[in-house]
C-alpha cells in the first residue's frame, strides 16, 4: 500500500475501514487534516484526497486525484563558459575540473503574496560536465518549490580565483520549455573581502513599468552598480561607466612640450566626454591625468574578444608604437628622410621597407606590435612588409589622375567632404582684419573658361559646381602650425564641375596663407593647365589639398563622428538602460568594441607625440582642431544620412523620391548605397519600436529611456546641451529617428570611412597625411625656385610624408582596415532575446533578407557601365557599404 502512495501523478484507489473516518467528511479538493493515527494519514506525501461511499457501507474508497500536488519542481541549469585558445579563459580549466566553482541562485520574478517582499532565492553549485573546443559546460540542479513562481533572473558567483567569461545559461525543466539567459560577460572572482553576485536576467524584455515585481529592485540596483559613485581609480576588473573630459592626451610629467589643451568642459574647447578612469593627477599640472601606464581603463565587458585582441592587441600596440615613437632617434638615422624616388616607394610593396639595424628589444617590440605586417625577409626581422593596396594593383598611376582625385570625393575614403556651391563668389566667414580679405581668388573667369555653361550663376543654378572647402577650418591654425618644424599649412578650396557624363572635373585649387607676422595675406589659384610648370604646381597644390582632406577624414569624418561622439551614447546606455530594456538590447550590438578602440586611440594615436601628431599636418594642434570641428560643425540631427546630404547640398527633399530625398549627383556611390542601408536600418528600428511601444505615451512615460536621452545631452555632450537642434523624445517617431541615427553612426557611417583606408591610403602619394613644404610660388628664394624648375619631382617627394611618417601610418591604416575573424556584421546575427519573440524574430529576418538584397543591388551597380564613378578601367568597385565581409582587408562589411 505504501508503495502505491509513493507513485505520483497516478490515480490510486484503495479500501480503508469506515471506522477510521467520520462519515460526515465530504468529497474535498483540499488536503484532509489528520485527526487520528491512521497509517494513511502518516504518509509524508501531501495528496489531494477525495472520499466517497462504496457499495458496502462499512468501507469507503479513497481516490488519489490526477491533480496531485508536487512539493517541488526539478530544474537543471546548463552554464556555458567560453574556452580560449589555450584552454578556458586565463587557464582556468585545469583548476576547475571536478570542482564546483560556480554558484547559481534562481530569482523569482514574483513577490511573496503575503509579505510583498522578494522571495528567497534557490541556490545550487554548478559542476563541470563537458569540455568542447570552444567552451566548458557546467550543470547545476535545483529543487524549486511549486509556489516559487516564474524564474526572472539568476545570480552568479565565481568562487575560483580567476575571472571567467560567461556565455549563457539555460534552465530546463519547466512545463513551457527551457528559459534562456544570454550573459556575454566577465565574472570576477568572489573574493571574501569583496563578495560579488552578478545578476543576469532572462531574455524576455520589459519596459520599466512592465518589470515583474520581484525583479524591480534588482533592475534598479544593477544600474546603480554600473554607474558607480564617481570616486576612486577604476580597476581593470570594474564594470563602472562614468564621464570625464579628455585630460589625458598631454603628458606634462615628461615635458612641458607635451602639454595639450584639455578637451571638454570649457567654452574654448568643447568636446564629447570619455569614460572616466579616475587615474591620479599629474604632479606637473593638476589639470591632467597621469599617463604612467599605457593600459587605460575601460569597463571589463568593453574589452576586445580574444580573437580581436590577437588581431588588434591594445596593450602591445600601446607599448610598442609608443616605444617606437619615443625612440625614433635611435631607430632611424633621420626622421625627416623622405623617399628619393617613386621607384623607392613602389619597392615597399615588393621588397619591404628596410629599417636600420635595431636593438634586439626594439625588434621584438616591432614584431609584437604589427605581427602581420612585419615578417622575416632573408632571415632579417627589420623589414616592414605591406600588401599592395587594391587601388595600386589595378592601376599603378591611379593617384596621378585628376579624374580619380575627383571620383574619390564621391566614392573614396572620405565621401563626407564634398559640398554643393550655393552662392558666388566664395567668401570666408572669418574676420578679415585678422586673416585678410575674405573673398576667394577663384574668379568667374577661371571657372567659366573651363565649363560648358556661359556663366557661373547658371552653373550654380543647375547645381553643377561643388567644392572641398577647408578654408575656414584650417586658416586660423596656419600661423601656429608654421611655427613647427617639418610641416606647413594653408586654408584651401578645391572647385569641381559636374560634367554631362556624371563625373566631377577639378577646376581650381586655391591655397591661402593669412596675415602672419606683419606679412600680408598670400593666396594663389592653381589649375590643371597643360604647360609643364603649371602642371607640376597643380600636382603640388593637389598634394596639399589631399593632406587637408586626409586630416578632415581622420579627425572629423572618422574619429569625431563615429568614435568620439559615440562613446557618450555607450556610457549613457549602460548607466540608464537596464539590460532587460528593449532599446538596450537593440543598441547593444552596435556599441561593440568602440570604447576599447577609443582607449587605444588615447594611448598611442591621438595623444601628445602620438601617431596622428607625428603623421598629420597640424601636428600638436591635431586634436585641438577636432574640438573646433565639434564646436562649429557637429550636430546630432546632421548625423542622419538624409539630413547630412541635404545640409551639404548633395540632396534635396523630395517626398516622391525613393528615400525621401533626390540626389544632386545621380552617381554618388556612397549616397546611393548609403540610403539603401539607412532605410533598411530605419525599417528594422521602426518594426522593433512599434512592437514595444504601442503608443507615444509609453515613450514619454518610460523613465529609463527619458533618463538615457537626458544624460546623453546633459552629461555625455554637456558642452552642447543647450543647442536647439537636439531632438525631443516624446513620440515613437522621435525614438525611431534617434535610435536609427545612433545605429547608423556606429555601423554604416563608420564602415564607409574606415574599411577603405588602406585601399586608398595604403599607397600614400594618393592620400598623403602631411604636406611638409610650402608651395614653390609662395615667397620663394632664388634657390628654391631653381630647385623646383630643375627637379619638380624631387620637390613633390619632399612635400610628401617622410619615410617613417608614411610607413608607420600605413601600418595603422592596415590595422584599422582589417576585419577580425570574429567580426560581427549588421543584420547577420540574431540576438537571443529577439529570437524568442516571434514578432521581433520576423522583423529581424526581414532586415537580414533586405541586407542581402542590398548586397546584390550594389554588385549590380558596380557592373553598370553607365555609372562611371564606380565602374571603369582600373577603378576599385564601390563596396564600402556592402553589409557582409570575410576577415582581412576587404574594403567592405558593416561591422557592429
Amino acid at each position: 500500500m505504501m508503495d502505491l502512495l509513493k507513485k505520483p501523478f497516478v490515480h490510486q484507489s484503495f479500501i480503508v475501514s469506515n471506522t477510521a473516518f467520520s462519515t460526515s467528511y465530504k468529497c474535498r479538493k483540499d488536503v484532509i487534516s489528520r485527526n487520528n493515527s491512521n497509517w494513511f494519514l502518516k504518509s509524508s506525501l501531501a495528496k489531494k484526497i477525495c472520499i466517497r461511499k462504496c457499495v458496502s457501507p462499512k468501507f469507503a474508497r479513497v481516490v488519489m486525484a490526477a491533480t496531485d500536488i508536487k512539493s517541488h519542481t526539478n530544474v537543471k541549469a546548463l552554464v556555458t563558459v567560453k574556452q580560449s585558445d589555450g584552454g578556458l579563459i586565463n587557464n582556468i580549466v585545469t583548476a576547475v575540473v571536478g570542482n564546483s566553482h560556480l554558484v547559481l541562485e534562481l530569482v523569482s520574478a514574483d513577490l511573496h503574496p503575503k509579505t510583498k517582499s522578494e522571495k528567497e532565492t534557490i541556490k545550487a553549485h554548478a559542476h563541470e560536465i563537458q569540455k568542447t573546443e570552444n567552451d566548458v559546460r557546467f550543470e547545476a540542479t535545483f529543487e524549486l518549490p511549486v509556489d516559487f513562481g516564474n524564474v526572472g533572473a539568476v545570480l552568479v558567483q565565481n568562487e575560483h580565483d580567476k575571472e571567467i567569461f560567461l556565455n549563457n545559461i539555460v534552465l530546463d525543466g519547466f512545463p513551457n520549455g527551457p528559459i534562456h539567459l544570454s550573459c556575454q560577460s566577465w565574472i570576477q572572482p568572489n573574493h571574501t573581502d569583496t563578495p560579488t553576485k552578478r545578476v543576469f536576467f532572462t531574455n524576455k524584455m520589459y519596459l520599466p513599468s512592465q518589470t515583474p515585481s520581484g525583479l524591480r529592485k534588482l533592475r534598479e540596483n544593477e544600474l546603480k552598480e554600473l554607474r558607480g559613485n564617481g570616486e576612486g581609480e577604476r580597476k581593470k576588473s570594474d564594470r563602472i561607466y562614468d564621464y570625464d573630459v579628455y585630460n589625458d592626451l598631454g603628458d606634462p610629467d615628461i615635458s612641458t612640450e607635451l602639454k595639450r589643451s584639455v578637451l571638454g568642459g570649457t567654452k574654448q574647447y568643447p568636446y564629447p566626454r570619455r569614460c572616466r578612469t579616475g587615474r591620479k593627477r599629474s604632479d606637473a599640472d593638476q589639470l591632467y591625468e597621469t599617463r604612467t601606464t599605457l593600459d587605460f581603463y575601460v569597463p571589463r565587458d568593453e574589452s576586445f574578444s580574444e580573437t580581436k585582441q590577437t588581431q588588434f592587441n591594445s596593450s602591445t600596440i600601446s607599448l610598442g608604437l609608443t616605444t617606437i615613437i619615443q625612440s625614433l632617434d635611435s631607430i632611424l638615422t633621420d626622421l625627416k628622410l623622405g623617399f628619393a624616388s617613386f621607384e623607392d616607394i613602389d619597392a615597399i610593396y615588393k621588397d619591404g621597407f628596410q629599417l636600420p639595424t635595431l636593438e634586439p628589444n626594439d625588434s621584438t617590440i616591432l614584431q609584437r606590435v604589427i605581427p602581420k605586417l612585419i615578417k622575416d625577409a632573408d632571415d632579417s626581422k627589420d623589414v616592414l612588409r605591406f600588401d599592395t593596396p587594391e587601388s595600386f594593383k589595378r592601376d599603378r598611376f591611379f593617384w596621378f589622375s585628376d579624374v580619380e582625385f575627383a571620383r574619390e570625393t564621391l566614392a573614396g575614403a572620405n565621401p563626407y567632404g564634398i559640398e554643393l556651391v550655393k552662392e558666388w563668389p566664395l567668401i570666408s566667414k572669418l574676420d578679415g582684419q585678422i586673416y585678410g580679405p575674405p573673398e576667394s581668388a577663384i574668379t568667374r573667369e577661371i571657372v567659366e573658361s573651363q565649363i560648358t555653361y556661359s556663366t557661373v550663376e547658371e552653373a550654380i543654378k543647375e547645381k553643377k559646381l561643388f567644392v572641398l572647402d577647408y578654408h575656414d577650418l584650417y586658416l586660423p591654425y596656419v600661423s601656429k602650425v608654421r611655427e613647427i618644424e617639418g610641416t606647413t599649412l594653408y586654408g584651401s578650396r578645391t572647385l569641381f564641375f559636374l560634367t554631362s557624363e556624371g563625373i566631377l572635373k577639378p577646376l581650381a585649387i586655391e591655397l591661402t596663407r593669412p596675415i602672419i607676422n606683419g606679412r600680408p595675406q598670400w593666396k594663389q589659384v592653381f589649375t590643371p593647365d597643360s604647360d609643364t610648370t603649371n602642371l607640376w604646381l597643380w600636382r603640388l597644390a593637389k598634394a596639399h589639398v589631399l593632406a587637408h582632406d586626409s586630416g578632415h577624414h581622420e579627425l572629423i569624418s572618422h574619429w569625431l563622428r563615429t568614435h568620439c561622439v559615440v562613446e557618450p551614447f555607450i556610457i549613457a546606455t549602460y548607466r540608464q538602460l537596464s539590460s532587460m530594456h528593449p532599446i538596450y538590447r537593440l543598441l547593444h550590438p552596435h556599441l561593440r568594441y568602440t570604447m576599447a578602440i577609443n582607449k587605444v586611440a588615447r594611448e598611442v594615436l591621438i595623444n601628445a607625440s602620438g601617431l596622428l601628431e607625428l603623421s598629420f599636418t597640424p601636428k600638436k594642434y591635431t586634436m585641438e582642431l577636432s574640438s573646433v570641428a565639434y564646436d562649429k560643425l557637429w550636430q546630432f540631427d546632421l548625423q542622419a544620412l538624409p539630413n547630412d546630404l541635404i545640409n551639404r547640398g548633395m540632396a534635396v527633399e523630395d517626398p516622391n523620391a525613393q528615400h525621401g530625398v533626390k540626389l544632386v549627383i545621380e552617381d554618388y556611390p556612397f549616397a546611393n548605397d548609403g540610403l539603401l542601408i539607412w532605410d533598411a536600418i530605419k525599417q528594422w528600428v521602426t518594426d522593433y519600436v512599434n512592437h514595444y511601444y504601442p503608443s507615444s505615451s509609453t515613450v514619454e512615460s518610460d523613465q529609463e529611456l527619458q533618463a538615457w536621452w537626458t544624460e546623453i545631452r546633459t552629461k555625455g555632450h554637456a558642452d552642447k546641451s543647450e543647442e536647439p537642434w537636439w531632438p525631443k523624445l516624446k513620440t515613437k517617431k522621435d525614438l525611431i529617428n534617434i535610435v536609427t541615427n545612433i545605429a547608423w553612426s556606429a555601423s554604416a557611417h563608420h564602415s564607409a570611412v574606415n574599411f577603405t583606408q588602406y585601399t586608398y591610403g595604403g599607397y600614400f602619394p594618393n592620400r598623403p597625411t602631411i604636406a611638409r613644404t610650402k608651395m614653390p610660388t609662395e615667397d620663394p628664394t632664388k634657390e628654391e625656385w631653381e630647385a623646383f624648375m630643375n627637379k619638380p619631382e624631387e620637390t613633390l617627394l619632399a612635400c610628401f610624408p617622410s619615410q617613417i611618417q608614411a610607413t608607420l601610418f600605413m601600418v595603422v591604416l592596415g590595422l584599422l582596415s582589417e576585419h577580425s575573424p570574429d567580426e560581427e556584421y549588421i543584420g547577420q546575427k540574431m540576438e537571443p532575446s529577439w529570437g524568442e519573440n516571434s514578432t521581433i524574430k520576423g522583423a529581424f529576418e526581414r532586415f537580414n533578407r533586405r541586407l542581402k538584397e542590398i548586397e546584390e543591388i550594389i554588385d549590380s551597380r558596380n557592373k553598370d557601365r553607365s555609372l562611371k564613378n564606380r565602374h571603369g578601367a582600373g577603378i576599385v568597385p564601390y563596396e564600402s557599404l556592402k553589409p557582409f565581409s570575410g576577415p582581412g582587408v576587404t574594403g567592405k562589411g558593416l561591422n557592429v
Side-chain angles (χ1 to χ4, degrees):
M1 187 66 69
M2 290 302 295
D3 289 337
L4 289 172
L5 288 173
K6 290 179 181 177
K7 294 180 181 178
F9 304 108
V10 178
H11 283 287
Q12 301 175 68
S13 299
F14 52 90
I15 305 298
V16 298
S17 172
N18 192 39
T19 59
F21 295 93
S22 166
T23 56
S24 62
Y25 277 94
K26 300 196 185 240
C27 196
R28 302 185 351 170
K29 299 284 185 182
D30 58 323
V31 178
I32 295 180
S33 300
R34 180 169 62 90
N35 61 1
N36 57 49
S37 59
N38 184 273
W39 60 265
F40 167 70
L41 297 178
K42 292 181 180 178
S43 171
S44 62
L45 296 177
K47 304 252 184 185
K48 291 182 180 179
I49 302 174
C50 182
I51 301 176
R52 65 187 183 216
K53 290 291 178 86
C54 298
V55 175
S56 170
K58 294 183 179 181
F59 297 91
R61 182 176 295 275
V62 180
V63 180
M64 299 308 228
T67 55
D68 296 346
I69 292 179
K70 281 189 70 178
S71 62
H72 63 269
T73 300
N74 289 327
V75 172
K76 284 190 177 181
L78 182 64
V79 182
T80 305
V81 175
K82 185 177 180 179
Q83 179 91 283
S84 75
D85 292 340
L88 193 60
I89 292 295
N90 289 337
N91 299 317
I92 195 175
V93 159
T94 55
V96 170
V97 172
N99 292 318
S100 54
H101 287 295
L102 290 179
V103 180
L104 310 183
E105 295 180 50
L106 304 189
V107 180
S108 175
D110 307 317
L111 293 177
H112 194 284
K114 292 183 179 179
T115 64
K116 302 302 180 184
S117 60
E118 285 79 15
K119 295 180 179 180
E120 287 189 15
T121 60
I122 307 299
K123 182 184 292 189
H125 285 74
H127 303 265
E128 182 188 324
I129 60 169
Q130 183 184 21
K131 281 187 291 187
T132 68
E133 181 180 355
N134 298 317
D135 54 51
V136 178
R137 295 176 182 175
F138 300 82
E139 185 178 84
T141 302
F142 300 87
E143 292 186 352
L144 261 62
V146 292
D147 59 352
F148 186 75
N150 295 319
V151 175
V154 176
L155 304 180
V156 181
Q157 290 175 275
N158 171 20
E159 294 192 340
H160 196 268
D161 61 353
K162 297 180 183 295
E163 66 179 358
I164 62 171
F165 187 83
L166 184 60
N167 267 338
N168 57 66
I169 301 172
V170 180
L171 303 175
D172 199 8
F174 300 102
N176 295 326
I179 295 174
H180 296 265
L181 298 88
S182 180
C183 306
Q184 299 294 305
S185 183
W186 291 94
I187 312 293
Q188 298 306 315
N190 189 34
H191 297 307
T192 55
D193 57 336
T194 56
T196 303
K197 290 184 182 181
R198 286 291 308 281
V199 59
F200 295 98
F201 298 105
T202 64
N203 289 346
K204 185 173 175 59
M205 292 178 277
Y206 299 97
L207 297 180
S209 61
Q210 301 166 342
T211 308
S213 55
L215 303 178
R216 287 174 185 166
K217 282 188 179 179
L218 275 179
R219 181 171 185 151
E220 294 170 4
N221 291 339
E222 174 73 355
L223 288 174
K224 288 178 182 177
E225 287 186 18
L226 290 167
R227 293 175 197 139
N229 59 10
E231 299 176 359
E233 183 172 354
R234 299 275 63 85
K235 302 186 295 295
K236 184 177 180 179
S237 59
D238 286 345
R239 298 172 55 246
I240 295 175
Y241 295 76
D242 203 355
Y243 302 96
D244 207 344
V245 296
Y246 279 74
N247 61 355
D248 62 349
L249 302 181
D251 199 349
D253 287 332
I254 292 180
S255 168
T256 56
E257 291 296 315
L258 296 180
K259 275 192 174 184
R260 296 293 181 267
S261 301
V262 174
L263 305 183
T266 65
K267 289 184 178 180
Q268 185 178 11
Y269 300 117
Y271 218 56
R273 298 301 189 261
R274 63 167 175 89
C275 185
R276 179 185 177 276
T277 68
R279 301 193 307 277
K280 73 174 186 176
R281 295 298 172 123
S282 162
D283 293 331
D285 192 326
Q286 288 291 299
L287 288 176
Y288 298 86
E289 276 189 348
T290 58
R291 295 178 57 85
T292 53
T293 175
L294 284 182
D295 188 11
F296 295 170
Y297 166 80
V298 291
R300 187 65 185 96
D301 288 340
E302 299 301 318
S303 301
F304 291 128
S305 70
E306 187 176 45
T307 305
K308 186 75 170 179
Q309 192 87 354
T310 301
Q311 178 254 338
F312 195 89
N313 187 294
S314 60
S315 61
T316 55
I317 288 174
S318 301
L319 173 63
L321 290 184
T322 301
T323 304
I324 291 168
I325 294 165
Q326 293 177 351
S327 306
L328 286 176
D329 288 329
S330 63
I331 294 177
L332 292 178
T333 55
D334 187 355
L335 303 183
K336 303 173 187 176
L337 184 64
F339 289 92
S341 67
F342 284 99
E343 288 78 12
D344 288 348
I345 297 174
D346 296 352
I348 291 176
Y349 308 100
K350 180 180 179 182
D351 304 323
F353 177 66
Q354 181 72 48
L355 292 170
T357 302
L358 303 177
E359 294 297 324
N361 188 52
D362 291 332
S363 180
T364 300
I365 290 170
L366 286 172
Q367 289 282 355
R368 289 170 59 202
V369 172
I370 37 182
K372 291 197 66 177
L373 297 176
I374 299 181
K375 304 172 185 176
D376 290 350
D378 299 325
D379 297 323
S380 172
K381 293 182 179 180
D382 303 335
V383 175
L384 287 169
R385 286 200 181 277
F386 299 93
D387 291 332
T388 304
E390 184 64 25
S391 53
F392 190 70
K393 284 181 185 177
R394 288 171 176 260
D395 182 356
R396 288 184 56 208
F397 304 104
F398 79 108
W399 67 279
F400 229 46
S401 164
D402 288 341
V403 173
E404 178 65 11
F405 167 53
R407 188 192 74 86
E408 287 183 26
T409 66
L410 303 174
N414 186 30
Y416 277 97
I418 193 77
E419 300 177 65
L420 177 71
V421 175
K422 299 175 183 177
E423 56 186 22
W424 193 265
L426 302 175
I427 298 179
S428 170
K429 296 178 181 178
L430 299 175
D431 188 341
Q433 295 296 317
I434 299 174
Y435 301 105
E439 295 82 11
S440 171
I442 302 176
T443 64
R444 66 171 57 250
E445 289 77 17
I446 292 173
V447 175
E448 289 172 356
S449 65
Q450 301 183 73
I451 63 176
T452 56
Y453 289 84
S454 56
T455 66
V456 170
E457 287 78 10
E458 185 180 354
I460 290 175
K461 182 180 178 181
E462 294 297 318
K463 295 183 170 56
K464 299 297 181 180
L465 289 183
F466 299 85
V467 65
L468 284 179
D469 192 346
Y470 300 135
H471 183 278
D472 287 8
L473 177 65
Y474 288 123
L475 201 65
Y477 280 86
V478 170
S479 177
K480 295 179 183 179
V481 169
R482 287 190 170 210
E483 294 176 357
I484 304 171
E485 186 180 0
T487 187
T488 192
L489 185 61
Y490 296 99
S492 69
R493 297 184 181 100
T494 307
L495 202 64
F496 301 89
F497 174 69
L498 182 63
T499 71
S500 58
E501 293 181 301
I503 63 174
L504 291 176
K505 171 187 175 183
L507 300 179
I509 292 173
E510 177 187 28
L511 299 179
T512 303
R513 182 199 70 197
I515 298 170
I516 296 180
N517 299 327
R519 289 185 295 168
Q521 181 193 73
W522 177 91
K523 63 177 67 170
Q524 187 173 348
V525 177
F526 304 90
T527 57
D529 292 335
S530 56
D531 71 88
T532 56
T533 299
N534 283 322
L535 185 58
W536 275 106
L537 288 172
W538 167 257
R539 289 168 180 163
L540 281 160
K542 195 164 66 170
H544 281 272
V545 168
L546 287 167
H548 300 167
D549 190 62
S550 293
H552 178 274
H553 163 253
E554 206 65 71
L555 294 174
I556 301 171
S557 300
H558 185 205
W559 162 254
L560 179 66
R561 294 185 63 179
T562 72
H563 285 274
C564 185
V565 303
V566 171
E567 185 153 339
F569 303 153
I570 300 170
I571 297 171
T573 298
Y574 278 93
R575 285 167 55 89
Q576 299 298 341
L577 298 181
S578 166
S579 59
M580 66 169 68
H581 196 292
I583 300 302
Y584 171 93
R585 298 279 178 92
L586 177 59
L587 284 174
H588 186 260
H590 297 282
L591 310 180
R592 190 179 187 225
Y593 294 150
T594 298
M595 289 180 71
I597 293 173
N598 291 1
K599 163 187 113 74
V600 175
R602 300 205 321 276
E603 289 167 352
V604 298
L605 297 178
I606 64 176
N607 60 301
S609 81
L611 280 174
L612 263 64
E613 287 196 2
L614 173 71
S615 306
F616 281 79
T617 288
K619 291 287 189 172
K620 69 178 183 179
Y621 299 105
T622 295
M623 291 306 294
E624 194 175 298
L625 256 170
S626 73
S627 169
V628 172
Y630 177 69
D631 183 30
K632 305 296 184 185
L633 304 177
W634 188 81
Q635 294 185 199
F636 179 82
D637 57 330
L638 296 183
Q639 292 279 100
L641 178 61
N643 293 346
D644 168 78
L645 294 170
I646 292 169
N647 181 62
R648 290 190 285 121
M650 302 303 291
V652 294
E653 289 189 68
D654 185 350
N656 297 319
Q658 180 183 358
H659 309 287
V661 296
K662 181 179 180 181
L663 294 177
V664 172
I665 300 177
E666 291 184 10
D667 183 15
Y668 184 0
F670 161 70
N672 282 305
D673 296 355
L675 287 169
L676 291 175
I677 298 294
W678 172 269
D679 282 357
I681 294 173
K682 187 171 184 179
Q683 185 59 58
W684 155 236
V685 173
T686 299
D687 292 343
Y688 191 98
V689 168
N690 284 339
H691 176 72
Y692 286 103
Y693 292 90
S695 66
S696 290
S697 62
T698 54
V699 172
E700 277 199 282
S701 63
D702 186 332
Q703 295 177 346
E704 286 184 6
L705 189 69
Q706 295 298 328
W708 168 75
W709 185 235
T710 297
E711 184 165 295
I712 284 173
R713 301 190 324 272
T714 61
K715 289 189 176 181
H717 290 274
D719 299 334
K720 282 180 168 278
S721 62
E722 300 303 319
E723 296 286 356
W725 39 255
W726 284 106
K728 306 295 182 185
L729 182 50
K730 293 185 176 182
T731 67
K732 291 197 295 182
K733 182 179 179 181
D734 295 337
L735 179 57
I736 289 166
N737 289 337
I738 288 169
V739 172
T740 302
N741 196 334
I742 294 173
W744 163 266
S745 300
S747 58
H749 178 160
H750 175 262
S751 296
V753 298
N754 184 69
F755 291 113
T756 58
Q757 290 192 87
Y758 193 76
T759 302
Y760 291 108
Y763 187 77
F764 71 87
N766 185 59
R767 290 190 66 76
T769 57
I770 188 172
R772 295 190 294 155
T773 59
K774 64 182 179 65
M775 291 293 294
T777 53
E778 184 198 339
D779 303 333
T781 64
K782 181 181 179 181
E783 292 76 15
E784 288 172 340
W785 183 253
E786 287 181 352
F788 164 67
M789 292 297 291
N790 291 331
K791 294 184 177 180
E793 181 177 317
E794 290 185 3
T795 303
L796 180 58
L797 286 166
C799 184
F800 280 157
S802 70
Q803 292 184 21
I804 192 64
Q805 287 171 331
T807 52
L808 280 184
F809 207 73
M810 286 161 63
V811 169
V812 173
L813 293 183
L815 287 169
L816 295 176
S817 300
E818 186 171 8
H819 289 294
S820 67
D822 73 333
E823 202 88 80
E824 293 181 11
Y825 299 94
I826 189 170
Q828 183 183 48
K829 180 181 177 182
M830 184 178 298
E831 294 295 304
S833 58
W834 303 342
E836 294 182 19
N837 183 304
S838 60
T839 300
I840 300 302
K841 181 175 183 286
F844 182 82
E845 288 171 345
R846 290 193 297 274
F847 180 44
N848 176 268
R849 287 195 299 270
R850 179 54 181 161
L851 292 175
K852 291 177 179 177
E853 291 171 358
I854 291 172
E855 284 221 320
E856 294 177 357
I857 293 171
I858 291 173
D859 286 339
S860 175
R861 288 172 172 176
N862 286 332
K863 295 175 184 177
D864 189 338
R865 293 186 178 184
S866 68
L867 301 178
K868 299 184 185 300
N869 290 318
R870 62 195 309 155
H871 179 91
I875 288 178
V876 177
Y878 189 75
E879 297 184 321
S880 297
L881 291 169
K882 288 189 71 172
F884 311 114
S885 173
V889 179
T890 65
K892 59 186 175 183
L894 309 183
N895 69 326
V896 293

